[in-house]
Amino acid sequence: MKKSLPFLMLLSLFSIAAWAQTRTITGTVIAASDQKPLPGVSIRVVGQKTATLTNSSGKYSIQVTGTNLSLEFSYLGFKTQTKTIGSNNQIDVSLSDEETSLNEIVVTALGIKRDKRTLTYSTQEVSGNALVAAKENNLVNALAGKVAGVQITNSSGAAGSSSKIVIRGNTSLTGENGALFVVDGVPINNTEAGNPDGALSAGGTANRAIDIDPNIVESVTVLKGAAASALYGSAAARGVVMITTKTGKGKPSVSVSSGITVDHPIFPEFQDKYAQGSNGVYVDGNNGELGSGSWGPPIDGLIVNGAPVQKHDPRKEFFRTGFTTDNTVAVSGASDKSTYLVSYSYLKTKGTMPGTDFGRHSFFTKFSNNITDKINVIGQLNYVNTANDRLPEGNSLASPFWTVYAAPISWNPLPTTYPDGTQRVYRAARNNPYWLVDNVQFSSQVNRFLPVFTVTYNPTPWLTITERLGADIFNDDTHYHEAPGIVGGESDNGKMYNREINFRQYNHDLIVEAKKSFGDDFFGSILIGNNILASNQKTIFDKGIGLSAKDFYNIANASTQISTITESNYRKVGVYVQMTGEYKRMLSLSLTGRYDGTSVLSSSKQYYPYGSASAGFIFTEALGMSKNPIMNFGKFRISYSYVGNDNVAPYSIGTPYIKPVIGNIEFPYDNLNGFLLTNTYGDKNLKNEGLKEFETGLEFKFLKNRLNLEATYFNKLSQDLISTTPITPSSGFNAAVINAASMYNRGIELVLGGTPIKTKDITWDISLNFAKIKNKVTDIGQGLDNIQFAGFVSPGVFAYKNQPYAVIFGSRYLRNDAGKLVIDDQGYPIIDETLGAIGNTAPKWNAGLTTTFTYKGISLSAVLDMKKGGDVYNLDNFYLNFYGVTKVTQDRTATKVIEGVTEDGSPNTKQITLDQKYYQENFSAVDENGVEDGTYVKLRQVTLAYTFPADLLKKMPFRGLSVSATGRNLWFYTPHYTGSDPEVSLYGTGNGGGFTNFVTPSNRSFNFAVKVTF
C-alpha cells in the first residue's frame, strides 16, 4: 500500500502535465461591424506551426500543446488580434475593420467568398445600398454607369419596361447575348416573354429581373471574363450578374422604408408654328377633313368660322405625370446560432402614358441555423407577384404614338368618337389615341417563387461540403384585346388573345471544397462539384379574331378561334473542379475545368469539356513595398479560358411539322386544319459554340490605399456560333440552324477610385470606370456576307461580315469614289439604287463616374454616365419629317446648297428650299437620314441623404432614421440625337439594339424617401 501511493501520485502528475500540454480550444470569430460570423479566418498558435481556419459559421477548433500560449487571429480586411489562452478552453473573438486594408471579400462563382487580392481575373461589385439609392424599378437599370465593360439598354420609359445587360460585347450571332443572372448561387430566368405580335409591331414586355426587389440585395458582383464565370457552365459564356441577398444580423430590429417618385416624360422637340394641311393650305381635321401632314398655314392668326384655331401640344396633353410608391418593412436579427430576415415590399407605378401601370409585391424570408458546430442550414424563399398594364408601342397602328407624335397642333382629339360611334381622327388609317387608351389593353400578371435551400457540413476545419437546391417557378398570365372599331387591326371587329406561360427550373449543386495552409508560406484549395439543371416551359396561346359582343373579352366571343400549346424541356448536367494555390501571399494560381452534357445538341456532340488557367503575382510583396507610402500594392494577373455554350433553343436539331401562316391566313382556315414541314433545317450534327478568352490586368493601390487603379485588357474569340442562316431554297428549306459564324471582342477596361478627403467628419469618395471594346463579325457562313435580326428589310439591323456586330442597313444617297454626295440638276442628292450599310450601333467607348461626399450624417452622391458613338436608327424622324411635325421642319422657307458634286463631277452650286417637297420626296425617302449618333452624357442620378445621429434619437421610439431625395436623368447632353433618349431600343432584351420607333419616352424623376429602424 505504501509503495502504491507514490506510484499513483506520480501517475496523476503525469496525467495533469499531459492535460496541461495538449487540449482543444474552440470558439467563434465575428465581425465587430455587423456581428456576422467570418469564415476562413486564419488562427495560429503564436510561435508554432499549428494553424486552422474558421468554418462557414465562423467557428473553429484547434489543438494546443504547452503553456503560456497565445492565438493569433488574422483575416484580410480586418485588424489582426492576439489572444492569450491561459486556462480558457473557449475563446471568442470580434475582429474590427482595418481602415488601411488592402483587400475586401468578394463573392465569386457558385457563391464562394474569396479575398479580392488573390483573384486572378476581373470582377466588380455594386453594393445593395447603391442599388436602392438609384430608385429604379428594374434592377438592371440600377447598374447603369457603375461597372466597366457593361452596356445597358432600356426598351422604353414605359412602366414595367425591359432592360438588357451585355458584358464585354455580344458573343453570339443570333442567340442570347444577355448576362446570366444568379441569385445566391442559383441561376434564374431573365428572359422577356415578349409581345406575340412582335417587338417591331407592338413593343416589348418586362424582363424577369424586374421581379427582384433591390431592398433585399446585399450586393451585386459582375463576373466579366470567362475565367471568372467558367464554373457556371455554358450559360456563363456571356458573363454573370451574381446577386447576393441580405442576411439577418445583430440585435432584433424592425425597419420601415417608404418612398414616392414623380416621373415627367422627356419629349423630343416638335415644331409649333404650322397647322394641319399641305403646301400651305389648311385641312380642318376638327370638322371631318382628312390629311396626314402638318404642312398647312401658320396657326397664329388662323381663323375658321370666325374663331381662331386653338393651338394644342398633343404630347403634353396626352401624357401625364407618373407616380410611384415604394414601401418596405423588414424584420431581422441574429443569435449565436441563428439568423433571420423577413421582408415585404410593395411597389406601385402609374405610368406616364394613360392606361399603363406596374405593381410588384415581394415577400422574402431567409433563415440560417447552426444545427451543430459542424452543420449549418440556410433556407430562403422569395415570392413575387407583378402586374403590368401597358399599351402597344412600335409600328402597330394600335400604338397611340402614331397620332400623338404625328398629330397636328391644330387638331383637338376630343371627343374621341362621332355620334354614330366611329372614331374622330384627323387622317385616314389611324386611330384616335384616347380611343386606344379605352379600347386596347395588354395586361400581364406573374406569380414567381424562388426558393433556395443550402446545407453546409464541416467535418473538419479544412473541409466543407455544400449541397444547394434551388428553383425558379413562375406563371405568366397575359391578356390582350382590341375592341371592334379599331382602324388597321387584324380585324375591324377586334381581336384578343390569352397567353399562359408556366416555367419550371430546378438547380442542384453538390460542392466539396478542401482548403488548408501548409506552414506560413503555402495555402491551397481544391473544389469538386456536380451540377444538374433542368427546365420545362409550357405555353398555352389562345387567339380570337372578330368579337361579336361589345366589351366581352372572352375567347368564346370570337368568330375565329386559334389555339396553340407548346412545351419545351431542357436539361444540363455537369461536373467541375477548381484548384487554387497561394505562395507567401504574393503568387496565386487557379485552374478550373468543367465537363457539361446538354439535351439541346446532337447526341454525338452533347458532351464537351472546357476550363481556364489564371495566375496573379503581387509584386509589391516580393519587392517589400507593402509599407511603401506611395505605392503599397501592385498585382499583375493573366488568364486564358475556353468556355463551351449550348446557345440554342430546345428541338432546334429537328425538322418538325408546324402550323403555318400563309400571308394573312392562319390555320385552321375555312374549317380545315393544316400543318407544314418547317422551312428551317435543324442540323443533326450541331455542336456547342466556343469562346476563347485571354485576359491580363494590373492592379495598384497608392497612398495607403487612398487611391486605386485597375486596368484590364481582354481578347475573346467566339467561334462555331449557332445561327439560323439562310440557305438555298433548292435544298427544300429557306434557312438552317448550323454552326456557321465567328466574331471577336477586344477591349480595355479601366477602374480608378479613390478617397481624396478623409477626416473625422468629412469623406469624399470618387470612382471612374471606362471601357473601349472593338467588335468584328469575322464569318457568317454559307457564303453570306450579312444576316438580319431586327427591323425591316430596309431599314434593319444586320450582322455584316468584317463589320462590327449590329450594322444598320437601308437606303442611302449615291456617292462618288471619293465619298462625296452626287447631286442632280435640281440640287437634290441622288438616291442610290442599291441598299447598304448606313450606320454602326457599337459605341466607341463607355464611361461612368460615381462620387459621394459625406459630412457627418449628410451625404451627397451622383452618377454620371457617358457613351461615345453608337448609331441609332430614329425611325420616328423617318415618319415625322415626312409629316412636317419635327423641329427641323419648322424653318420651311430656309434655303441650302447641299455639299457635293454634280453628275459630271463639278461642285454643286444649286440652291434648294427646305420645304415640303424636299422633306417628303427626298429627305424622308432615304433611310440614311434616320441614322443619328447616339453619343450622350447623362446625369443619371443625384441623391442627397441625411442620417440622424444617435444622440438625437435617444428620446425617440426608434434607433435609426434617415431621409433622402433623389433625382434621375436630371440632365442630358445628346449633341447629335434628336429623339427622347438615345439609350432606349424598341427590341429590349433582343439583339436589335440601336433601333427605336414610337416607344414611351424616358422620364426625369424625383424621389423622396424615409427609412426608420426600431
Side-chain angles (χ1 to χ4, degrees):
M1 184 70 180
K2 290 181 180 180
K3 291 182 178 180
S4 61
L5 183 59
F7 176 77
L8 291 174
M9 293 176 63
L10 184 62
L11 182 62
S12 298
L13 288 173
F14 275 116
S15 299
I16 292 172
W19 176 84
Q21 290 177 355
T22 303
R23 55 197 173 107
T24 300
I25 309 299
T26 61
T28 304
V29 184
I30 62 173
S33 58
D34 57 13
Q35 305 298 300
K36 293 174 66 175
L38 293 175
V41 176
S42 176
I43 304 156
R44 71 180 186 92
V45 181
V46 178
Q48 299 181 13
K49 292 187 176 181
T50 306
T52 188
L53 298 171
T54 57
N55 62 18
S56 61
S57 303
K59 296 185 179 296
Y60 73 92
S61 175
I62 188 171
Q63 286 191 333
V64 299
T65 302
T67 58
N68 299 322
L69 300 177
S70 299
L71 294 180
E72 182 185 82
F73 299 82
S74 61
Y75 194 53
L76 292 172
F78 294 83
K79 294 179 180 178
T80 299
Q81 282 194 34
T82 302
K83 290 281 189 178
T84 301
I85 296 176
S87 60
N88 298 311
N89 291 327
Q90 179 172 334
I91 299 177
D92 297 327
V93 175
S94 177
L95 295 183
S96 301
D97 293 344
E98 176 63 68
E99 292 185 0
T100 60
S101 167
L102 290 173
N103 293 89
E104 55 187 296
I105 303 302
V106 295
V107 180
T108 62
L110 302 175
I112 299 169
K113 294 182 179 180
R114 291 188 60 186
D115 302 325
K116 191 176 190 303
R117 65 171 284 141
T118 67
L119 293 184
T120 51
Y121 44 75
S122 175
T123 68
Q124 247 181 290
E125 184 177 290
V126 179
S127 70
N129 290 336
L131 300 178
V132 173
K135 306 303 179 186
E136 293 277 6
N137 295 355
N138 196 320
L139 180 76
V140 174
N141 292 333
L143 297 173
K146 298 180 175 71
V147 183
V150 166
Q151 185 174 354
I152 290 172
T153 305
N154 192 8
S155 62
S156 79
S161 61
S162 66
S163 293
K164 180 180 181 180
I165 176 171
V166 175
I167 301 174
R168 289 186 174 175
N170 296 287
T171 58
S172 186
L173 192 65
T174 57
E176 177 60 58
N177 280 302
L180 172 68
F181 274 69
V182 177
V183 176
D184 291 329
V186 178
I188 66 168
N189 185 308
N190 183 39
T191 59
E192 178 184 351
N195 195 305
D197 289 329
L200 181 62
S201 296
T205 58
N207 62 303
R208 293 276 52 92
I210 203 171
D211 299 333
I212 304 299
D213 176 18
N215 292 287
I216 68 171
V217 176
E218 180 73 27
S219 65
V220 171
T221 303
V222 179
L223 306 182
K224 302 177 185 179
S229 59
L231 285 182
Y232 268 120
S234 58
R238 53 188 188 266
V240 180
V241 176
M242 292 191 52
I243 300 171
T244 302
T245 60
K246 293 180 178 179
T247 301
K249 56 186 178 181
K251 297 179 180 179
S253 65
V254 178
S255 64
V256 179
S257 61
S258 182
I260 58 172
T261 303
V262 179
D263 296 320
H264 300 285
I266 303 171
F267 299 115
E269 291 187 298
F270 295 86
Q271 69 90 4
D272 63 352
K273 290 186 177 181
Y274 293 94
Q276 183 180 3
S278 180
N279 296 313
V281 178
Y282 180 60
V283 173
D284 191 357
N286 294 315
N287 290 297
E289 296 183 21
L290 301 177
S292 62
S294 291
W295 297 100
I299 195 169
D300 292 340
L302 182 61
I303 305 296
V304 174
N305 297 328
V309 176
Q310 182 181 358
K311 180 189 288 189
H312 294 269
D313 188 327
R315 279 67 59 180
K316 291 185 178 180
E317 292 175 5
F318 180 76
F319 284 88
R320 63 188 183 185
T321 298
F323 190 76
T324 298
T325 58
D326 187 4
N327 300 289
T328 301
V329 58
V331 179
S332 68
S335 65
D336 58 341
K337 290 188 177 183
S338 302
T339 67
Y340 58 91
L341 171 66
V342 180
S343 171
Y344 168 74
S345 68
Y346 176 57
L347 178 141
K348 180 67 174 180
T349 295
K350 182 182 76 171
T352 56
M353 185 187 290
T356 64
D357 55 57
F358 174 77
R360 180 179 65 212
H361 294 271
S362 177
F363 173 79
F364 177 74
T365 180
K366 189 175 187 179
F367 177 79
S368 71
N369 181 260
N370 296 322
I371 298 177
T372 70
D373 291 342
K374 298 178 184 288
I375 300 176
N376 174 264
V377 297
I378 302 175
Q380 64 187 71
L381 173 65
N382 190 192
Y383 166 70
V384 186
N385 169 265
T386 62
N388 191 196
D389 292 325
R390 57 195 306 135
L391 287 168
E393 299 175 289
N395 218 258
S396 168
L397 295 187
S399 166
F401 286 97
W402 275 106
T403 41
V404 172
Y405 272 28
I409 58 175
S410 57
W411 181 57
N412 181 3
L414 299 175
T416 63
T417 58
Y418 291 108
D420 64 358
T422 59
Q423 293 188 56
R424 282 189 70 252
V425 294
Y426 73 91
R427 61 168 295 186
R430 293 296 184 269
N431 290 281
N432 185 297
Y434 295 90
W435 186 92
L436 291 173
V437 170
D438 293 333
N439 293 278
V440 175
Q441 185 185 50
F442 178 101
S443 62
S444 170
Q445 186 160 157
V446 176
N447 287 286
R448 190 174 192 181
F449 296 86
L450 294 166
V452 182
F453 182 75
T454 306
V455 179
T456 304
Y457 174 51
N458 293 100
T460 67
W462 54 268
L463 182 64
T464 303
I465 303 173
T466 302
E467 184 161 16
R468 181 188 297 123
L469 298 170
D472 185 357
I473 303 169
F474 67 80
N475 170 271
D476 183 349
D477 191 7
T478 298
H479 173 82
Y480 176 78
H481 69 255
E482 297 172 358
I486 192 168
V487 177
E490 193 169 348
S491 167
D492 293 342
N493 292 321
K495 73 172 184 179
M496 63 162 294
Y497 62 71
N498 297 316
R499 181 183 65 190
E500 183 176 356
I501 300 174
N502 289 289
F503 179 82
R504 306 286 186 270
Q505 179 171 283
Y506 303 96
N507 185 84
H508 172 263
D509 280 289
L510 177 62
I511 307 169
V512 179
E513 183 181 21
K515 50 187 178 180
K516 194 171 181 63
S517 296
F518 302 92
D520 294 331
D521 294 341
F522 292 94
F523 171 81
S525 70
I526 181 170
L527 179 149
I528 301 174
N530 163 252
N531 172 252
I532 300 175
L533 177 71
S535 67
N536 168 269
Q537 179 169 310
K538 184 176 182 179
T539 302
I540 302 173
F541 182 77
D542 296 323
K543 180 178 181 180
I545 303 173
L547 306 180
S548 301
K550 184 180 179 181
D551 297 330
F552 181 47
Y553 299 110
N554 187 293
I555 200 71
N557 188 36
S559 58
T560 301
Q561 301 171 18
I562 301 171
S563 181
T564 304
I565 300 177
T566 60
E567 186 170 4
S568 65
N569 292 281
Y570 170 82
R571 177 170 292 184
K572 182 179 67 178
V573 296
V575 292
Y576 46 84
V577 60
Q578 176 178 268
M579 295 182 290
T580 60
E582 185 178 354
Y583 173 68
K584 287 192 173 181
R585 293 170 55 84
M586 65 178 180
L587 182 62
S588 300
L589 177 67
S590 179
L591 301 172
T592 66
R594 179 156 176 149
Y595 190 68
D596 271 349
T598 177
S599 63
V600 295
L601 300 178
S602 63
S603 57
S604 61
K605 307 289 185 180
Q606 284 181 325
Y607 291 90
Y608 48 94
Y610 50 89
S612 67
S614 55
F617 177 53
I618 304 175
F619 52 84
T620 46
E621 289 287 336
L623 298 175
M625 298 174 61
S626 59
K627 302 295 183 181
N628 189 289
I630 298 177
M631 185 177 74
N632 54 293
F633 179 81
K635 182 173 73 171
F636 169 76
R637 49 181 170 76
I638 188 170
S639 68
Y640 180 81
S641 53
Y642 171 79
V643 178
N645 190 11
D646 60 346
N647 202 354
V648 66
Y651 317 120
S652 294
I653 61 175
T655 52
Y657 281 86
I658 59 173
K659 269 192 175 182
V661 178
I662 303 174
N664 292 323
I665 299 175
E666 295 183 67
F667 285 87
Y669 175 75
D670 195 22
N671 295 321
L672 294 174
N673 207 351
F675 291 89
L676 189 68
L677 187 69
T678 177
N679 58 12
T680 300
Y681 173 77
D683 185 4
K684 293 180 172 53
N685 294 313
L686 201 67
K687 64 179 182 178
N688 61 283
E689 297 181 342
L691 185 146
K692 298 177 180 178
E693 182 170 16
F694 169 78
E695 177 186 313
T696 186
L698 288 168
E699 298 177 25
F700 300 97
K701 292 183 183 291
F702 303 94
L703 307 175
K704 296 183 179 180
N705 309 321
R706 293 283 291 274
L707 177 67
N708 60 80
L709 171 66
E710 182 175 342
T712 301
Y713 168 79
F714 66 88
N715 185 350
K716 58 182 182 179
L717 172 64
S718 301
Q719 58 189 20
D720 296 321
L721 295 181
I722 302 171
S723 64
T724 303
T725 304
I727 60 176
T728 175
S730 61
S731 65
F733 299 91
N734 293 330
V737 180
I738 54 177
N739 298 101
S742 61
M743 72 171 74
Y744 69 74
N745 289 274
R746 300 168 184 165
I748 59 171
E749 298 167 350
L750 298 175
V751 180
L752 176 65
T755 306
I757 300 175
K758 187 174 179 63
T759 67
K760 178 182 178 182
D761 295 328
I762 301 175
T763 302
W764 178 27
D765 294 318
I766 188 168
S767 176
L768 172 68
N769 67 77
F770 172 87
K772 180 178 176 62
I773 301 173
K774 181 180 180 180
N775 168 276
K776 180 182 285 188
V777 177
T778 53
D779 195 11
I780 293 178
Q782 298 295 306
L784 301 174
D785 67 348
N786 69 80
I787 186 171
Q788 184 178 10
F789 41 72
F792 305 96
V793 173
S794 173
V797 182
F798 289 70
Y800 259 79
K801 185 177 180 180
N802 296 322
Q803 293 278 347
Y805 187 85
V807 168
I808 303 173
F809 178 89
S811 58
R812 54 189 177 173
Y813 286 125
L814 182 66
R815 288 174 167 81
N816 64 11
D817 294 339
K820 294 183 178 181
L821 291 174
V822 180
I823 311 298
D824 65 17
D825 55 5
Q826 295 184 2
Y828 295 100
I830 297 175
I831 301 174
D832 198 334
E833 294 181 357
T834 62
L835 306 178
I838 56 176
N840 174 14
T841 65
K844 294 180 179 178
W845 53 262
N846 293 82
L849 177 68
T850 303
T851 182
T852 302
F853 184 87
T854 303
Y855 172 69
K856 294 185 177 180
I858 302 174
S859 69
L860 177 64
S861 63
V863 178
L864 197 67
D865 191 13
M866 296 158 275
K867 185 185 79 167
K868 173 64 175 176
D871 292 328
V872 178
Y873 191 84
N874 187 347
L875 192 57
D876 293 0
N877 277 5
F878 179 83
Y879 296 117
L880 302 182
N881 285 326
F882 183 91
Y883 299 140
V885 297
T886 59
K887 189 71 174 179
V888 72
T889 64
Q890 183 163 287
D891 190 0
R892 48 194 63 175
T893 61
T895 59
K896 181 180 181 180
V897 176
I898 296 179
E899 185 177 350
V901 297
T902 61
E903 293 183 84
D904 62 7
S906 59
N908 175 51
T909 59
K910 187 77 173 181
Q911 183 173 272
I912 63 171
T913 302
L914 304 182
D915 55 9
Q916 181 178 353
K917 177 184 177 183
Y918 168 69
Y919 281 107
Q920 290 193 337
E921 296 181 11
N922 188 278
F923 190 87
S924 293
V926 181
D927 295 327
E928 178 182 333
N929 291 320
V931 178
E932 299 181 341
D933 182 353
T935 295
Y936 66 75
V937 180
K938 292 185 177 184
L939 184 57
R940 191 174 289 278
Q941 171 193 329
V942 176
T943 299
L944 177 64
Y946 179 64
T947 301
F948 288 78
D951 294 343
L952 293 179
L953 302 178
K954 288 182 179 179
K955 296 182 180 180
M956 296 185 181
F958 37 82
R959 61 175 188 253
L961 174 63
S962 63
V963 294
S964 66
T966 299
R968 293 201 313 265
N969 293 335
L970 298 181
W971 174 73
F972 279 15
Y973 173 65
T974 55
H976 311 294
Y977 188 74
T978 60
S980 168
D981 185 351
E983 188 181 13
V984 302
S985 171
L986 177 63
Y987 281 84
T989 60
N991 290 328
F995 197 93
T996 182
N997 179 210
F998 291 156
V999 297
T1000 306
S1002 297
N1003 301 313
R1004 181 168 289 116
S1005 306
F1006 302 91
N1007 173 273
F1008 304 92
V1010 60
K1011 183 177 181 180
V1012 180
T1013 303
F1014 299 91

